[in-house]
Each structure stands twice: as structure tokens, then as C-alpha cells.
Amino acid sequence: MGALWISQVSVSNEGPYREYARLAVEAIAAHGGEFVVRGGRYVQLEGQERPRHVVVRFPDLETAEACYRSDLYQQALTHARGASERDLVIVETTD
């Protein structure tokens, strides 16, 4: 089964967050991730609003989790911490 990495983000410091995004894209690509959503319009219906939304498709849940735990992604996270508030979940798809 495939998996989706779903992230909702509020950015408080654009400079470090840009570096996070640059490194995160590399880590995601290295694990076969494909961006489905990266920004764009949205409608907040419930829960806490975070203005940035990212959805990445991975071949499976294990690969998505391996991406998150990879050295490169963990390095990217050092730039996001303190520069953003984020929620991230990985869910299996029904296909």
C-alpha cells in the first residue's frame, strides 16, 4: 500500500525554514517521495489553522517513515525547529 505524508505548518522565520525545505526536498526525493500538494489554496473547516500544507506520496508507510528518520531529513529538521510549528502524520492509502 502507498502512504501519504501530510504536514501542516505555520512558519515564524522564513530564512531557516527555506533551508529546511531545501534539505527536506532532497531527503524526500531520495526516498521516492512525490509531492502531491505544496502550498496552494485551502479552506480551514476544523482544528488549528496552519497556512502551509504539504502532502507527499511515498511507495509505502515504511519508506515514508525511513525518510523522516534519515540523517538528511533530521538535518533538515534542525532548521525547522524554532522557525515553525508543524503537525506531521503518515497514513496508508487505500490503493
Side-chain angles (χ1 to χ4, degrees), residues 54-85:
V54 177
V55 178
V56 180
R57 180 180 296 117
F58 284 91
D60 52 55
L61 189 131
E62 292 76 17
T63 303
E65 185 177 1
C67 178
Y68 180 84
R69 298 190 188 291
S70 72
D71 290 342
L72 183 55
Y73 191 78
Q74 290 302 305
Q75 179 186 353
L77 278 178
T78 65
H79 299 281
R81 291 187 181 111
S84 63
E85 291 184 24

Side-chain angles (χ1 to χ4, degrees), residues 9-73:
V9 184
S10 295
V11 176
S12 57
N13 191 336
E14 288 288 340
Y17 197 81
R18 271 194 296 278
E19 183 62 11
Y20 156 78
R22 184 184 72 76
L23 293 170
V25 165
E26 290 180 35
I28 288 166
H31 288 84
E34 173 187 312
F35 285 90
V36 177
V37 174
R38 199 168 180 197
R41 293 175 39 177
Y42 71 96
V43 175
Q44 183 72 32
L45 298 175
E46 293 185 22
Q48 182 174 348
E49 182 173 10
R50 299 200 189 272
R52 291 190 188 195
H53 304 88
V54 177
V55 178
V56 180
R57 180 180 296 117
F58 284 91
D60 52 55
L61 189 131
E62 292 76 17
T63 303
E65 185 177 1
C67 178
Y68 180 84
R69 298 190 188 291
S70 72
D71 290 342
L72 183 55
Y73 191 78

